[in-house]
Amino acid sequence: TFLFAAIEKVVPVNVFTAQFANAVLWYGGAKVSQNGITIISQFGAVEVARGCAGLPPILMLLRITMMFVLVFPVRQIHMWIMFFAAAAIAFIINSMRVALLVVISADNSAFKYWHDGDGSQIFSVIAVSLLLWLCNWLSQDDDDDELEEA
């Protein structure tokens, strides 16, 4: 919590998440408005608190990327792409989750399932799968270069 609070003082992740989720909903045709970290729509209102801001998934994907880079040989440019993509994937997938929560905010049982229940884990699985696919694809490119040099 101390690390998250320190990062959020410098980078307001929950505000960025609310803005991105608001934009997704607006472009999707929903009538939405944003007031700080609160997204208000015809479905209901959702406040993007610290836990839903996306910092835990971002740090999780960055740790997974670090492990991948330490275990597998990767070009330096691909390594930087992987770290940037890890943060972007986690942020976008989490923002999509927040947008879904706004849409289902009127149904309390569905909201609990997608916010606290097993439904929330689906987004982590999607984010990790996308990241590992990208890391695998980038490292295959490095393997092809090593074969050509041999």
Side-chain angles (χ1 to χ4, degrees):
T1 12
F2 175 73
L3 177 64
F4 292 159
I7 292 172
E8 287 174 348
K9 286 186 182 208
V10 177
V11 180
V13 181
N14 54 349
V15 174
F16 294 147
T17 302
Q19 289 173 340
F20 192 86
N22 186 60
V24 166
L25 290 167
W26 186 77
Y27 282 113
K31 295 182 184 339
V32 292
S33 65
Q34 179 194 352
N35 185 10
I37 59 172
T38 304
I39 302 172
I40 305 161
S41 73
Q42 72 258 29
F43 310 109
V46 170
E47 183 177 317
V48 183
R50 178 181 290 164
C52 291
L55 218 44
I58 290 171
L59 293 177
M60 177 185 69
L61 289 189
L62 288 174
R63 287 191 310 257
I64 291 171
T65 304
M66 178 63 79
M67 288 187 296
F68 190 91
V69 167
L70 291 174
V71 172
F72 299 103
V74 178
R75 280 191 193 167
Q76 189 169 12
I77 185 69
H78 289 170
M79 178 185 68
W80 289 111
I81 291 170
M82 288 176 192
F83 280 110
F84 176 77
I89 288 169
F91 176 79
I92 291 169
I93 296 294
N94 185 65
S95 296
M96 299 298 277
R97 177 177 163 261
V98 169
L100 173 69
L101 290 173
V102 171
V103 171
I104 63 170
S105 61
D107 183 1
N108 196 31
S109 63
F111 185 86
K112 284 184 179 180
Y113 176 78
W114 289 104
H115 185 260
D116 297 323
D118 293 337
S120 65
Q121 299 303 314
I122 292 171
F123 290 92
S124 295
V125 170
I126 292 169
V128 169
S129 298
L130 285 172
L131 176 67
L132 291 178
W133 173 83
L134 176 71
C135 291
N136 182 44
W137 181 68
L138 287 173
S139 66
Q140 281 180 353
D141 185 39
D142 292 339
D143 291 342
D144 293 342
D145 290 345
E146 288 175 13
L147 290 175
E148 289 174 11
E149 292 173 3

